[in-house]
């Protein structure tokens, strides 16, 4: 196998919790099980959602769990130039266009079409500002959107979930690359950085599986390689919803990292371990290697 490079890419919207540790542990184990390199990338492009100091706290929590980045940690907030270059390339090649629609404009256009407002929890953009529909028509440009090629049925095979397909045109629509507030969209930043960092294997939470098709379209448009994908089980809160800071997930207890790791390991179907953190990680790496060939 070519060089294996994996990553954990948390958004610093709060400390690590039981759910995010599952993704961190799985990506680390997968990298170690395949003799690979593991990186940490702080995804702080959505600055209004970031919490001051959460990035450092996440790094401390990972270190307490024996999960240290093999290369210097990267912060997306310092990489705007790369995202702008990628956007310029997409514009030059006819893969992006400016959009002047406000949220209200989009809702009105969807109502006029009699279309259902929500699919996959996001409004499917009706294509109002597409160049073939007349473009901005005098409106100021607010955002940049990806111009989805006519047929956008994307198929890929997830290592855990199996074959997946999504028609991005009908299920998502032309998605945002740069937001009206000037911030970079996660999709673009992630596609650019995974390629720039040479990521060969993405292992992350199942809640992000829905983004994969959009990311593959961006990789194709930017002629970047597509990594292999594996989405890990989600930890559900008491209300049956994905555990998140919003529904009361507690920060991991730095005083007892093995307990937190054992809980994450259980979600991944790994046996409990009573030794030290490093012994547990070594034991789980062996189990993982036979359970999940790359
Ligand atoms: N930053 C994203 C999050 O914390 C994860 C991105 C990814 O792993 O692709 O939800």
């Amino acid at each position: 196998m070519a060089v294996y490079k994996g990553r954990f890419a948390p958004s610093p919207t709060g400390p690590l919790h039981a759910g995010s540790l599952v993704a961190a542990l799985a990506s680390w184990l997968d990298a170690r099980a395949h003799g690979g390199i593991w990186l940490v990338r702080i995804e702080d492009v959505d600055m209004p959602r970031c919490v001051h100091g959460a990035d450092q706290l996440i790094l401390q929590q990972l270190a307490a769990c024996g999960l240290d980045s093999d290369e210097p940690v990267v912060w997306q907030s310092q990489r705007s130039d790369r995202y702008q270059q990628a956007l310029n390339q997409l514009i030059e090649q006819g893969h992006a266009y400016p959009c002047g629609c406000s949220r209200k404009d989009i809702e009105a256009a969807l109502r006029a079409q009699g279309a259902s407002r929500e699919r996959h929890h996001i409004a499917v953009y009706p294509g109002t500002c597409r160049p073939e529909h007349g473009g901005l028509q005098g409106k100021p440009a607010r955002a940049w959107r990806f111009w989805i090629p006519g047929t956008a049925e994307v198929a890929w095979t997830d290592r855990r979930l199996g074959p997946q397909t999504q028609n991005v045109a009908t299920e998502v629509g032309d998605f945002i690359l740069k937001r009206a507030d000037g911030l970079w969209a996660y999709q673009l930043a992630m596609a650019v950085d995974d390629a720039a960092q040479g990521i060969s294997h993405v292992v992350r939470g199942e809640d992000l599986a829905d983004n994969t098709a959009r990311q593959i379209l961006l990789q194709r448009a930017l002629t970047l390689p597509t990594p292999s994908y594996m989405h890990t089980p989600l930890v559900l809160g008491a209300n049956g919803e994905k555990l998140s800071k919003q529904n009361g997930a507690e920060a991991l207890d730095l005083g007892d990292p093995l307990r937190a790791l054992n809980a994450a390991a259980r979600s991944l179907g790994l046996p409990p371990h009573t030794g030290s953190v490093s012994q547990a990680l070594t034991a789980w790496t062996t189990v993982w290697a036979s359970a999940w060939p790359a």
Side-chain angles (χ1 to χ4, degrees), residues 7 9-11 41 43 186 190 202-204 207-208 215:
R7 57 31 166 214
S11 303
R41 180 172 75 224
E43 299 208 320
Y186 153 67
M190 197 237 68
V202 171
V203 178
R204 61 185 180 187
D207 55 321
L208 294 163
Q215 290 161 3

Side-chain angles (χ1 to χ4, degrees), residues 96-111 113 115-137 139-148 167-177 214:
Y97 63 89
C99 175
C101 294
S102 64
R103 195 165 297 181
K104 276 195 179 144
D105 295 334
I106 296 173
E107 281 173 11
L110 288 171
R111 263 198 311 275
Q113 285 179 0
S116 87
R117 206 184 79 75
E118 304 270 324
R119 242 193 251 183
H120 284 248
H121 312 296
I122 49 173
V124 176
Y125 182 63
T128 319
C129 294
R130 273 195 163 212
E132 74 264 34
H133 296 160
L136 289 168
Q137 303 196 41
K139 286 184 285 189
R142 293 165 51 89
W144 285 88
R145 288 185 182 273
F146 185 68
W147 193 350
I148 294 182
N167 186 328
V168 185
T170 57
E171 293 180 44
V172 182
D174 294 342
F175 53 89
I176 295 275
L177 300 170
R214 273 170 275 174

Side-chain angles (χ1 to χ4, degrees), residues 10-16 42 44 47-62 75 77 245 251 254:
S11 303
T13 53
L16 278 189
I42 302 290
D44 55 350
M47 285 167 208
R49 287 187 58 230
C50 293
V51 172
H52 183 71
D55 53 348
Q56 295 301 338
L57 185 52
I58 289 171
L59 295 173
Q60 283 167 21
Q61 290 174 305
L62 290 171
W75 275 259
S77 54
K245 207 182 51 166
L254 276 176

Side-chain angles (χ1 to χ4, degrees), residues 6 56 65 92 103 122 171 182 193 201 204 219 221 225 232 236 256 258 261:
Q56 295 301 338
C65 291
E92 275 160 30
R103 195 165 297 181
I122 49 173
E171 293 180 44
D193 285 341
H201 290 71
R204 61 185 180 187
Q219 290 153 0
T232 57
L236 302 183
D256 195 353
L258 187 66
L261 281 167

